[in-house]
Amino acid sequence: MEKPKLIVDGKRLDGRGFEELRPIKIEAGVLKRADGSCYLEMGKNKIIAAVYGPREVHPRHLQDPSKAVIRYRYNMAPFSVEERKKPGPDRRSVEISKVSREALEPVIMKELFPRSGIDVFVEVLQADAGTRTACLNAASVALIDAGVAMRGMITAVAVAKVDGQLVLDPMKEEDNYGEADVPIAFLIRNGRIEAIALLQMDGRLTLEETRRAIELAKKGVMQIYKLQREAIMRKYMREGEDYEGSAEAAEVAKELSENEGGSEKEGGQSEQEVKE
Amino acid sequence: MEKPKLIVDGKRLDGRGFEELRPIKIEAGVLKRADGSCYLEMGKNKIIAAVYGPREVHPRHLQDPSKAVIRYRYNMAPFSVEERKKPGPDRRSVEISKVSREALEPVIMKELFPRSGIDVFVEVLQADAGTRTACLNAASVALIDAGVAMRGMITAVAVAKVDGQLVLDPMKEEDNYGEADVPIAFLIRNGRIEAIALLQMDGRLTLEETRRAIELAKKGVMQIYKLQREAIMRKYMREGEDYEGSAEAAEVAKELSENEGGSEKEGGQSEQEVKE
Amino acid sequence: MEKPKLIVDGKRLDGRGFEELRPIKIEAGVLKRADGSCYLEMGKNKIIAAVYGPREVHPRHLQDPSKAVIRYRYNMAPFSVEERKKPGPDRRSVEISKVSREALEPVIMKELFPRSGIDVFVEVLQADAGTRTACLNAASVALIDAGVAMRGMITAVAVAKVDGQLVLDPMKEEDNYGEADVPIAFLIRNGRIEAIALLQMDGRLTLEETRRAIELAKKGVMQIYKLQREAIMRKYMREGEDYEGSAEAAEVAKELSENEGGSEKEGGQSEQEVKE
Amino acid sequence: MTDDILMDIKRDYVLSRIRAGERIDGRKFDEFRPISVQTGIIEKAEGSALVKLGNTQVVVGVKMQIGEPFPDTPDRGIIITNAELVPLASPTFEPGPPDENSIELARVVDRGIRESEAINLEKLCIEEGEQVWMVFIDIHALDDDGNLMDASAMAAIAALMNTVVPAERFEVGEDFPLPVQDLPISITSLVVDDKLLVDPCRDEMSVGSNLMTITSDREGRVVAMQKSGSYLLPEEKFYELLELSVAKAREIREAVESQIAKGGRNGEDEES
Amino acid sequence: MTDDILMDIKRDYVLSRIRAGERIDGRKFDEFRPISVQTGIIEKAEGSALVKLGNTQVVVGVKMQIGEPFPDTPDRGIIITNAELVPLASPTFEPGPPDENSIELARVVDRGIRESEAINLEKLCIEEGEQVWMVFIDIHALDDDGNLMDASAMAAIAALMNTVVPAERFEVGEDFPLPVQDLPISITSLVVDDKLLVDPCRDEMSVGSNLMTITSDREGRVVAMQKSGSYLLPEEKFYELLELSVAKAREIREAVESQIAKGGRNGEDEES
Amino acid sequence: MTDDILMDIKRDYVLSRIRAGERIDGRKFDEFRPISVQTGIIEKAEGSALVKLGNTQVVVGVKMQIGEPFPDTPDRGIIITNAELVPLASPTFEPGPPDENSIELARVVDRGIRESEAINLEKLCIEEGEQVWMVFIDIHALDDDGNLMDASAMAAIAALMNTVVPAERFEVGEDFPLPVQDLPISITSLVVDDKLLVDPCRDEMSVGSNLMTITSDREGRVVAMQKSGSYLLPEEKFYELLELSVAKAREIREAVESQIAKGGRNGEDEES
């Protein structure tokens, strides 16, 4: 297939500017059986994440006596892509699951749950480039929805280089024909980017471009972070319940009570602050 | 392939009437290593069943402290069908194993054997339609041969609709080109049909036809039941031994002593009656 | 492919005489992580063997309370043969691993290491006929290098019949087009062949030829045995350390101290003699 | 341990309610949970549907490929049905290859579609003996709050009705709607003592999984049956199930059809 | 625990008898158990045989397919030998893919057939480089009372001798008997101290599995050997095994041939 | 238990040295272990190399086959990279299919080669849309004393530079050297507090596996990056890693090139 022109008149194929995200939709608490869950759309990506745990680990020899064991399973539905994907894990999904788990592990307060397991399962129902970052965004919300104590929010986005130009949040054509792809996840805490939790890259970038890609990603994740928080707030308001344990949730709740007049949960929040 | 005419001059392709079974041959106790076994032919089906147990279950975490764990493995030999079958389980045999195990489980007195396992292994040496029902018939005899306590006999047969006509015990052509296939297994106790243990169906039947199919199956199983009992009796007479534990065996033995003059086992039989 | 003439003017294709081995190179202690290791070339065969253990066995139910459990894994690198080999075990390597393990098991003093495991891993980096015997030779040296107590040395070679003639140590063409192949391993102790540890054969030999094949193999292994011992000595001299535990190593060490004037280890050697 | 005790209490509660003639969620014995069917939710699939049965959620996606026909049906398309009980959907599902439950699920759904001749397979022949359309029906469970079977069967037929055969992409003519000519509905009931509970929810299944699934076509003919679970079914109960299931299927078919007619190609609220 | 003690007692008993010059079942050291060979028992297979060696029972079925030849033997048919130690046959067999024992069994049987050139593979070439017959030999153990190896080898060659190549079904000419030109016999012995016990039964193997299998052809030539089991075999013992096995094979070959000649296509008593 | 205590002591020791500004083996923080590259060591492979990085040893073999191109790149050859962490190489590796570590290893090495366009894939097209060369890069770890990643990447590119395309054997023209047009070098660093240790050895990894791999091409452009390990990386540390890795790669590339130039087709000392 011929490479199409990806930037025309200073605009991307879908009309976006270089630093513009695709439309995003996030909803927390969409599943009944899971302890926490999240549905997320980002462009044509459709992602659903579920969290089970902390719960008992079987068989026992897989338990860690000092902390929770985290599993992360990234899985694509057979119908999520143009050519039907054979069900089950392939090498790509094994690698994505590994780096995604490693992004979440230092953020989850594992030491609070010795001998237990926390399972994060993410299903890609429709794929349109940037699934691994979209999945991490959904997983992060699902973890907070499950009340798992976390040191902050994980928020992720990809940056690509297409037709010589760095662009935020590439869609399928930009991913296929672009010159570089940099998926990246940050730990965000109290609204501040604190560290890099996931970073991969393939393509070809100068040092300077690599640095600019990171800066561009930082702009992107701050917008996504806001939407993640709003999704949690909506669920919180819907249920009128306390999200226990999570610093992020506590922060959201605090903000909520301050900004939106909710007050009945204040006691709980300070407790959560302490917990963190 | 063109669908052949399956009923000609009111007869089936192999000359049988609509309510007629294929020739059946059953022999109990054909294997040395197994605790119980049975060889069964039904038309060109050639089936061998073995039972191991009650015996210890490994690894231990698969044990059930309150009752025996039943395994049922339906397996086709690679040479049992026209086109060589790749060895090992396929989706069809996994489903058949599941519904067959579920037919036997409520009939085996599992609660008498906590922490133990009872394994039923059935090999199809030659297949000619109706293997799942033929296998259950053989498995049932093998269980009694193994002395496993049971609430009665499981007896099974299929009914098909071919050329608009319900027929008992379809052979290969009727299965391939028929309009419906209903495999069914009954619990028979003291010569009376007591309940349905297995029931599947695929094809197209009116409600009325479905009801008539069940009735036709009931006629069929009563004949098979008689042959199952005779096989057990022959083994019993051959060995001059007591089949312990099973209500069905006890009943057979009683009948034997009454009808055929055997008497030395009468005491044993009443004990068995009590056991059940 | 046409069968080539394998013997021309009384010589083999590579110029060897009938009872001549290919060039052999053996080096002990070539890997850091393994407890014992050996690199071996025999013709174009390139073999690397590693021994881990005695070490703990996981999971525990695989332990033997009375002796060590031996594992032997023969594996070919994907690039070791003309046509790339799919990674992972195939039926051939499973069989070779079995008979090789069975050759070593009666020679390793397993009873000295209850509940533990001794793992022998052998990788074929390049294959050129006779890999199973070359691997056993390397494994044997690696075991001694690891200080595993053994009843003697396992030394192996193949004999083939090509163009009607028995030849020692066949290379690829002789293996492919020969009339028979007899891989064989012996236990050698104190310089004497004591028993057959591995023996397989496929092809066609008269009784008399079979006997002569064994005799020919015996000549071959005595030469290889010498090279195995020298490899151990070189490693020993390099490291100036004691090889503990092994009768073979003890013997090598004794010889070394006698022949080459080393004396500081004599006390240690007699201890080892006792141990054996 | 605690879990076991909780299970016992739950079972006792469910049983006592059933014996008192009630279901724990207030439904009548022959009443389904609310049904929602949204089609076309996966644009990349040739057809798709999300079905909610109460809290149970299943997505089915249909993909079409061109392949060789089976030698004995050289002029007919091929149906391949597959179910993944992904661990996202239930705390009891584990990652790994399909187990007996997901295999049974896929095969019973498949039989309903196949035996009702819901798809006109002859119209899926491209070149006899050479090329036919293969219809991949992938069942993807999202939330298992009981009765995945009926939800999957509904999602499968809804997705098929929504499927466009991508002939243009494969350069074999013009796109056309998948020729769907029946609407099989499966009805699963839980047998508890002498009671029959249609569309059992997860909590109800704490009393056991004595299930019977009966699938029927538009004409009210039975096209598939599956007794599932280790139990003995009295013959008269079976006849009762038969009547109940075929009657119920009529009612559910209407509901499904009206939902599909409403469209539901509404990405905005598919998760709300 | 109890099992272990029983095993110990059994082993001691077997050993004491052997040392007293006897076998537990009264056989001579070089005596086989009664052999029964029935051929043609699986009508759907191209060839088949049921062999009983005492209580040990093995079925072998032969299926023929058409496939591409290997590049280095473009004018020869292909043999594929496979063994399933199905859990039906022994309390120690487990369901699952072939383990090292079933792989060894299949490979040693295969070598006996292949190296004796029992099948004339050149006659199985249909079109050089394009199409040849593939001979699938499937070993299906039914009852493992010891020495599955020899029973399987006998059943394999008997099934091959019984095989008709189904050329008509594949539309490549007329059916013809598989060209079998040798009758390899494998003899397996148990080595106990300085005694050699041919055709060991299961109980005898309680003393260990120190086995040697030697297969020879009609001419008395050795075509396959396999030392199996973790033991050391003195050289002189090996020469003794060699003589014994080739001599014994002659006798067993005769027995097998006479059984095959008798027919045995007698479905009525194949299990009696 | 003892092992755990030993690990703790080792970790404390390594950490204390690092905090004192030293590495346990006396290297500078940005210093690699001695590098040895031998090419052509596997004559049966189309290309091969053995790389030693201190005690870490990796063999890479390259095999070429002819296959069909992917539909979306009909005029380009295909790269398939595979890694086997065979249990010989480390007490922590187990036999079995590739786990997440070997998959990650293979995929990161693959990306470095692919994205630097080290192989001119267009020159590996034999017949557009029909036949192209497939390059199998098999990574075979022998001894894992840390930083298998960089050793594997070096061995892979060295083996590719050593590869001759066997066109004659496949009868599609004359043999020619694989067209290699770049020399990507991956640099892996261990992040410990605010220190960056390039080429970490196994003992250093007792403090954790906080790794970052950055691969760059001849032009000093970044072609692959992989954060590996469960840790959080401060942004400023990343920029430091970026500069360090690209600079270090230049130095290492020179060393590798000079080693390859020396030949190394020296079977005699490849293990000494």
Side-chain angles (χ1 to χ4, degrees), chain E residues 10-18 24 203-204 206-207:
Chain E
K10 188 183 282 179
R11 191 182 57 236
D12 291 348
Y13 172 69
V14 171
L15 268 179
S16 69
R17 292 290 293 270
I18 291 174
I24 48 169
D203 280 343
E204 288 173 333
S206 60
V207 305

Side-chain angles (χ1 to χ4, degrees), chain C residues 124-159:
Chain C
V124 178
L125 299 179
Q126 184 160 277
D128 183 41
T131 55
R132 79 191 68 187
T133 48
C135 285
L136 264 178
N137 291 332
S140 205
V141 172
L143 278 160
I144 293 169
D145 184 39
V148 171
M150 291 175 71
R151 296 190 167 76
M153 182 86 83
I154 290 295
T155 309
V157 77
V159 171

Side-chain angles (χ1 to χ4, degrees), chain D residues 89-101:
Chain D
S90 166
T92 64
F93 298 168
E94 276 295 315
D99 66 353
E100 62 176 27
N101 294 307

Side-chain angles (χ1 to χ4, degrees), chain A residues 1 90-99 101-103 105-107 110 132 151 154 179 182 186-187 193-207 210-212 214-215 218, chain F residues 71-74 81-83 98-104 106-108 111 115-118 182 212 217 220-235 238-239 242-243 246:
Chain A
M1 261 161 270
D90 52 15
R91 286 159 46 110
R92 177 178 166 277
S93 65
V94 168
E95 188 198 356
I96 291 178
S97 296
K98 177 184 188 287
V99 293
R101 186 192 71 233
E102 291 177 344
E105 274 181 325
V107 178
K110 299 191 292 181
R132 80 191 68 188
R151 294 190 168 76
I154 290 294
E179 295 118 63
V182 189
F186 295 97
L187 165 64
I193 290 177
E194 298 220 334
I196 296 169
L198 174 145
L199 178 59
Q200 297 181 284
M201 182 267 190
D202 66 278
R204 219 172 210 173
L205 292 180
T206 63
L207 279 184
T210 309
R211 275 186 218 100
R212 283 200 290 122
I214 307 296
E215 289 302 332
K218 285 164 68 180
Chain F
D72 52 344
T73 53
T81 308
N82 176 64
D99 67 351
E100 61 175 28
N101 293 306
S102 50
I103 288 172
E104 184 182 44
R107 287 175 63 84
V108 174
R111 286 204 280 266
E115 300 300 337
S116 70
E117 294 173 20
D182 206 319
M212 173 67 76
D217 66 9
R221 288 172 300 200
V222 180
V223 295
M225 301 195 290
Q226 183 88 343
K227 173 181 170 292
S228 179
S230 303
Y231 72 107
L232 294 165
L233 176 68
E235 199 187 328
F238 168 64
Y239 294 128
L242 205 54
E243 300 285 349
V246 174

Side-chain angles (χ1 to χ4, degrees), chain C residues 19-60:
Chain C
E19 307 199 350
E20 199 176 329
L21 296 169
R22 290 172 290 182
I24 297 174
K25 182 181 140 184
I26 310 180
E27 185 175 350
V30 297
L31 301 177
K32 186 190 176 198
R33 302 300 305 283
D35 296 315
S37 59
C38 175
Y39 176 77
L40 184 147
E41 290 183 8
M42 189 157 187
K44 287 187 194 154
N45 288 311
K46 300 193 177 190
I47 309 291
I48 191 154
V51 170
Y52 286 92
R55 61 177 175 177
E56 224 180 311
V57 174
H58 298 289
R60 200 164 293 194

Side-chain angles (χ1 to χ4, degrees), chain E residues 33-271:
Chain E
R33 290 167 291 175
I35 296 170
S36 146
V37 182
Q38 288 162 19
T39 52
I41 57 153
I42 307 294
E43 297 87 348
K44 298 214 173 180
E46 271 72 83
S48 60
L50 166 65
V51 163
K52 299 182 190 172
L53 208 49
N55 285 309
T56 291
Q57 295 188 51
V58 177
V59 174
V60 167
V62 175
K63 294 293 295 180
M64 308 283 301
Q65 284 176 13
I66 292 179
E68 258 186 76
F70 292 122
D72 53 343
T73 53
D75 60 343
R76 313 192 66 187
I78 290 169
I79 304 173
I80 294 141
T81 308
N82 176 64
E84 273 200 277
L85 297 184
V86 291
L88 170 122
S90 166
T92 65
F93 298 167
E94 276 295 316
D99 67 351
E100 62 176 28
N101 293 307
S102 51
I103 288 172
E104 184 181 45
L105 174 65
R107 286 175 64 84
V108 174
V109 170
D110 183 272
R111 285 202 280 268
I113 289 161
R114 192 180 297 274
E115 300 300 336
S116 69
E117 295 173 20
I119 305 174
N120 187 335
L121 292 177
E122 273 142 37
K123 295 205 173 143
L124 296 184
C125 178
I126 300 170
E127 193 192 338
E128 184 169 332
E130 299 292 325
Q131 284 199 323
V132 298
W133 286 106
M134 303 167 73
V135 187
F136 287 90
I137 303 172
D138 280 293
I139 301 168
H140 216 76
L142 297 186
D143 208 354
D144 175 17
D145 196 37
N147 199 11
L148 272 183
M149 182 68 83
D150 293 353
S152 300
M154 267 181 237
I157 191 64
L160 289 167
M161 292 171 75
N162 171 252
T163 295
V164 171
V165 180
E168 289 162 19
R169 201 171 82 228
F170 287 89
E171 303 180 355
V172 290
E174 280 178 32
D175 289 2
F176 59 98
L178 188 73
V180 174
Q181 55 194 17
D182 207 319
L183 205 166
I185 292 288
S186 91
I187 302 293
T188 296
S189 306
L190 182 68
V191 182
V192 186
D193 303 340
D194 63 335
K195 302 284 197 304
L196 305 176
L197 286 65
V198 301
D199 180 31
C201 71
R202 172 62 42 188
D203 280 343
E204 288 173 333
M205 292 189 50
S206 60
V207 305
S209 56
N210 302 349
L211 298 170
M212 174 66 79
T213 299
I214 297 179
T215 309
S216 51
D217 67 7
R218 268 190 200 288
E219 307 297 317
R221 288 173 299 200
V222 180
V223 294
M225 301 195 289
Q226 184 89 342
K227 173 180 169 294
S228 179
S230 303
Y231 72 108
L232 294 165
L233 176 68
E235 199 187 329
E236 60 280 10
K237 250 327 121 195
F238 168 65
Y239 296 128
E240 207 178 302
L241 276 162
L242 207 53
E243 299 286 348
L244 170 69
S245 303
V246 174
K248 201 72 204 168
R250 262 190 213 105
E251 180 191 324
I252 299 298
R253 186 174 299 108
E254 266 179 43
V256 170
E257 282 190 303
S258 89
Q259 291 253 355
I260 293 174
K262 271 197 307 189
R265 217 180 223 289
N266 187 348
E268 290 320 296
D269 62 6
E270 82 217 281
E271 286 299 321

